[in-house]
Amino acid sequence: MTRSVYVTGIDRGDGRQVVELGVMELLTRQVDRVGVFRPLVHHNPDRLFELLRARYRLSQDPATVHGMDYYEASALQAERGTDELVSTLVDRFHLVARDYEVVLVLGTDFADTQLPNELALNARLANEFGAAVIPVVGGRGQTAEAVRAETRNAYRAYEVLGCDVLAMVANRVEREDRDEIAERLASRLPVPCYVLPDEPALSAPTVAQISQALDATVLLGDDSGLARDALDFVFGGAMLPHFLAALTPGCLVVTPGDRADLVVGSLAAHSAGTPPIAGLLLTLGERPTDEILTLAARLAPGTPVLSVPGNSFPTAERLVPLEGKLTAATPRKAETAIGLFERYIDTGELLKQVSAPSSDRVTPMMFEHQLLEQARADRKRVVLPEGTEERVLHAAEVLLRRDVCDLTLLGPVDQIRKKAADLGIDLGDTQLIDPATSELRDSFAEKYAGYRAHRGVTVELAYDVVSDVNYFGTLMVQEGLADGMVSGSVHSTAATIRPAFEIIKTRPDSSIVSSVFFMCLADKVLVYGDCAVNPHPEAEQLADIAIQSAATAQRFGVAPRIAMLSYSTGTSGSGADVDKVREATELARERRPDLKIEGPIQYDAAVEPSVAATKLPGSEVAGQASVLIFPDLNTGNNTYKAVQRSAGAIAVGPVLQGLRKPVNDLSRGALVQDIVNTVAITAIQAQIPAQSASPTEKATAP
């Protein structure tokens, strides 16, 4: 039977979209097929469903999501009664439930509905759907005592009406009251109660939403700039020196369009990062001259400049009540919302309460969820040497909003800040270091000279070497100032990992540094090794790669069943290449008799049960291999790319293994999500206790 979760409220303005999005995040970690049902809807298309569909790649037909609109429901209830309304909605719910393992139900919004006793209607629908309920109480502008009382009353209301209340959520409470409210409610309610503080970035409208609401003309700005949150409004009328002092981070400057001094001054301040602004809104229908607009575009590329015909006072009246909306067009808000949800809600506890049927399948999305959750469980610091690269900055924003790990960005600090400001990215308290001017440069030069003294490296030469961002980042990891490093979006693989070979070196239990890719197929995750580092591994090295890859797979939740791949299966073939794989298989078995290893074996026999039944009947690995070890780099690299492109697989990696401390390489074509995943993997690798290296030990990789 389908298990459903019904997120509802008691009044409007509770901001429950954060909870709905967070619950969807939890459900998609547990099962593959999650449906969505909203009994009553105001708007079609539904903004939140469009966000869920885009973010979670839902295949559900939008026509099945909604029971009916509020006007139709009100008319039906008036003419034929509540029982008929409920019966109709139950029928439409079950049309969705029959096709999905679990359904997220989005309760009514208590806004202009014309429906009597809406809370009771939500409670009855939840009961008829067989859904567990998570009521959300809004706490904005209320005292701590009022929030506590309202939350307790809401629990009693739904409990008295027969609902299975999973948990209570008090949302949008004053940040300074959060801990006290949470502590008091925990002792007063028999179900878990979670308290979320108010988050200004969620309620702040984006510049694009402001533009749409005011029907403004966009004079300058790109999509990234229009996606910025307007955290404050600063109305310009004073002379420039006084005006600049009034600017706040993330503010939207509202000023008459003929104040060229304020336009240029605001953008110059933004360019310097003191402070970064969301954009400008020019009133009175006055358009700056082309020369001013050209200067503005050069000062702050991408920063939006809007124009409206009215004067500042009516514009302010329309601006102040605007609230941000979670939509498919606001992915940054979605990351902020999920980060807030995961920071203040015990997701493990709530997931147990939901008790959705677990899926045997591991989809790419589930794997990505697991990565972020595992990284967050033991927070580490990862250094990103490519601090001025746009994709890296966007990935950093996601990681920070999701609270995955601490970050250090390397590069000229002013350039990083300017680039982040131009992209509308708030780096918060992220550590920024310029290796060329850092006070660490001298000590790092001495350290590096010590590591490479056997190669004739002097301190003077080392001083130049350690100004390179990859060498500097690697030394931060070696010296314990960071737990791991990720680079390669604009650097070659050699430039990324050579410093690690020279400084960090291999683990005592490894003879080689190798790599794996996590290949996320539609219904499972396979581990491919080695597809990136070693061109022609010998039998002993191949055995080491297999053992390393098994450990990596297990670390990331993939039960290792190892296939040592060749063009021959079992004893059917011979030749130098097959003999090498056969020898490697025996060596791996001798070293790790506890592992399930098969080889030599062909790819089809390794992954396809019907082929395995013919070629290797009775094998514990054949037909169900999860770790596939290729005999050489040529075979592995081409195979992973063929599967990635032809089967639509997501390839996460390469993930380096065998180093004492984690350093990972990115493809120069890496997408933002690839960078996020690789940083999460690096943070998880760093959770394994580090093993220090002797300066005289040599890495065996080239």
Side-chain angles (χ1 to χ4, degrees):
M1 178 180 177
T2 300
R3 173 70 160 170
S4 304
V5 179
Y6 196 119
V7 181
T8 183
I10 61 171
D11 202 352
R12 64 185 303 176
D14 51 32
R16 86 183 75 142
Q17 293 88 351
V18 172
V19 180
E20 292 166 337
L21 186 60
V23 171
M24 186 67 170
E25 184 86 6
L26 285 183
L27 295 176
T28 55
R29 292 178 191 175
Q30 197 169 17
V31 297
D32 181 25
R33 294 181 297 110
V34 180
V36 178
F37 185 69
R38 189 188 290 279
L40 302 174
V41 66
H42 279 296
H43 308 284
N44 199 359
D46 183 333
R47 286 190 297 262
L48 185 62
F49 175 70
E50 291 302 311
L51 168 61
L52 297 176
R53 182 165 68 157
R55 184 176 181 86
Y56 300 104
R57 310 179 191 114
L58 303 183
S59 59
Q60 183 177 351
D61 181 354
T64 67
V65 172
H66 308 120
M68 63 183 72
D69 64 40
Y70 281 97
Y71 177 81
E72 181 186 0
S74 182
L76 179 60
Q77 186 178 41
E79 293 175 13
R80 303 172 65 179
T82 300
D83 288 349
E84 187 65 26
L85 170 63
V86 170
S87 177
T88 302
L89 293 174
V90 168
D91 288 343
R92 295 180 184 179
F93 165 78
H94 284 296
L95 291 176
V96 175
R98 69 185 183 186
D99 294 328
Y100 295 94
E101 297 167 272
V102 63
V103 178
L104 171 63
V105 185
L106 313 175
T108 67
D109 59 14
F110 295 85
D112 303 322
T113 62
Q114 309 300 316
L115 293 172
N117 202 351
E118 203 164 336
L119 187 152
L121 176 62
N122 279 290
R124 182 169 176 188
L125 289 174
N127 291 337
E128 297 290 353
F129 295 167
V133 177
I134 301 178
V136 182
V137 174
R140 176 175 287 174
Q142 296 193 52
T143 65
E145 184 53 46
V147 173
R148 291 195 297 268
E150 198 160 86
T151 304
R152 293 195 300 269
N153 290 337
Y155 168 77
R156 293 191 189 98
Y158 280 101
E159 195 266 340
V160 165
L161 291 169
C163 292
D164 174 15
V165 179
L166 281 185
M168 297 295 301
V169 178
N171 189 31
R172 290 181 162 181
V173 306
E174 296 297 328
R175 191 167 289 273
E176 59 269 22
D177 294 336
R178 197 215 75 88
D179 292 346
E180 179 195 347
I181 294 172
E183 184 179 347
R184 293 282 294 276
L185 285 175
S187 63
R188 299 294 296 273
L189 290 176
V191 298
C193 187
Y194 307 111
V195 182
L196 278 61
D198 198 18
E199 174 52 65
L202 285 175
S203 54
T206 65
V207 179
Q209 290 171 339
I210 290 171
S211 177
Q212 183 178 14
L214 301 185
D215 195 22
T217 300
V218 180
L219 303 180
L220 292 175
D222 57 20
D223 290 342
S224 179
L226 290 167
R228 298 177 191 174
D229 297 320
L231 301 176
D232 190 11
F233 301 115
V234 174
F235 294 86
M239 297 302 291
L240 184 60
H242 298 292
F243 171 74
L244 291 178
L247 295 180
T248 58
C251 70
L252 181 72
V253 173
V254 184
T255 185
D258 59 359
R259 289 296 303 271
D261 58 332
L262 301 188
V263 172
V264 173
S266 299
L267 294 174
H270 172 86
S271 179
T274 54
I277 64 173
L280 290 104
L281 178 62
L282 309 182
T283 60
L284 301 178
E286 292 283 345
R287 176 190 174 101
T289 65
D290 290 343
E291 291 80 6
I292 293 296
L293 288 177
T294 300
L295 177 59
R298 290 177 179 172
L299 276 172
T303 297
V305 178
L306 314 179
S307 176
V308 292
N311 63 37
S312 296
F313 184 74
T315 300
E317 285 187 312
R318 298 172 67 187
L319 278 176
V320 172
L322 285 180
E323 274 211 16
K325 303 291 184 184
L326 280 169
T327 72
T330 58
R332 287 176 176 171
K333 286 189 184 296
E335 297 294 350
T336 300
I338 292 173
L340 187 73
F341 183 88
E342 292 173 333
R343 194 174 305 124
Y344 292 103
I345 286 183
D346 186 338
T347 54
E349 178 185 51
L350 185 57
L351 200 52
K352 290 177 184 177
Q353 295 288 108
V354 172
S355 301
S358 295
S359 173
D360 292 331
R361 304 174 69 193
V362 179
T363 67
M365 189 173 297
M366 289 180 189
F367 183 69
E368 290 174 359
H369 290 331
Q370 290 167 5
L371 289 181
L372 300 188
E373 188 73 16
Q374 200 170 344
R376 191 182 296 112
D378 182 9
R379 193 180 184 91
K380 299 297 180 182
R381 176 173 293 278
V382 178
V383 58
L384 305 177
E386 298 158 327
T388 58
E389 165 59 29
E390 182 172 328
R391 288 166 295 161
V392 170
L393 287 168
H394 280 301
E397 180 181 38
V398 173
L399 291 160
L400 293 170
R401 290 185 182 228
R402 296 293 298 275
D403 204 31
V404 174
C405 61
D406 296 317
L407 297 174
T408 297
L409 300 181
L410 301 184
V413 172
D414 289 344
Q415 289 184 30
I416 295 173
R417 285 183 176 145
K418 184 178 186 308
K419 188 73 172 180
D422 289 342
L423 296 171
I425 292 172
D426 180 8
L427 294 175
D429 296 328
T430 300
Q431 185 181 42
L432 307 179
I433 298 177
D434 184 353
T437 60
S438 172
E439 60 186 18
L440 294 169
R441 187 174 176 181
D442 287 330
S443 62
F444 278 5
E446 292 179 6
K447 292 283 186 183
Y448 181 70
Y451 294 140
R452 304 296 289 171
H454 65 287
R455 294 287 188 178
V457 175
T458 64
V459 173
E460 291 74 17
L461 179 59
Y463 187 77
D464 291 332
V465 171
V466 301
S467 66
D468 176 90
V469 290
N470 286 313
Y471 275 93
F472 193 93
T474 303
L475 282 159
M476 286 189 68
V477 176
Q478 176 66 8
E479 296 303 309
L481 301 175
D483 301 298
M485 184 181 95
V486 174
S487 187
S489 66
V490 293
H491 288 93
S492 68
T493 295
T496 298
I497 65 178
R498 184 184 294 114
F501 293 157
E502 295 178 359
I503 297 167
I504 294 177
K505 303 184 173 65
T506 55
R507 297 170 62 94
D509 57 353
S510 298
S511 65
I512 194 171
V513 173
S514 64
S515 73
V516 295
F517 280 89
F518 290 97
M519 301 300 294
C520 301
L521 304 173
D523 60 350
K524 58 187 171 183
V525 175
L526 299 178
V527 177
Y528 283 9
D530 172 11
C531 305
V533 178
N534 297 285
H536 301 288
E538 300 295 333
E540 186 170 330
Q541 294 174 324
L542 205 57
D544 204 353
I545 291 170
I547 293 169
Q548 289 177 354
S549 301
T552 300
Q554 196 154 34
R555 179 69 179 164
F556 292 94
V558 178
R561 294 181 295 274
I562 306 165
M564 307 292 285
L565 297 176
S566 176
Y567 60 77
S568 174
T569 295
T571 58
S572 65
S574 61
D577 292 337
V578 179
D579 292 342
K580 180 182 78 168
V581 174
R582 186 175 289 115
E583 181 184 352
T585 303
E586 293 305 318
L587 287 170
R589 283 174 174 159
E590 288 174 11
R591 295 178 191 173
R592 290 292 304 276
D594 56 308
L595 293 175
K596 296 178 180 179
I597 306 175
E598 191 68 71
I601 185 172
Q602 292 160 288
Y603 192 100
D604 58 349
V607 300
E608 176 52 51
S610 61
V611 176
T614 302
K615 293 189 174 183
L616 278 176
S619 169
E620 289 185 297
V621 173
Q624 52 183 337
S626 59
V627 178
L628 296 108
I629 305 303
F630 294 91
D632 54 59
L633 183 61
N634 181 51
T635 307
N637 192 269
N638 278 291
T639 302
Y640 107 74
K641 288 182 177 177
V643 172
Q644 180 186 33
R645 300 300 178 184
S646 301
I650 295 175
V652 180
V655 177
L656 298 185
Q657 49 193 16
L659 289 169
R660 293 176 184 268
K661 296 183 180 182
V663 171
N664 283 311
D665 181 35
L666 296 166
S667 163
R668 275 171 277 184
L671 303 175
V672 171
Q673 191 59 44
D674 298 332
I675 300 172
V676 170
N677 290 338
T678 304
V679 172
I681 285 172
T682 306
I684 295 167
Q685 288 179 309
Q687 293 168 357
I688 304 171
Q691 301 184 46
S692 61
S694 164
T696 58
E697 288 183 288
K698 300 178 184 179
T700 57

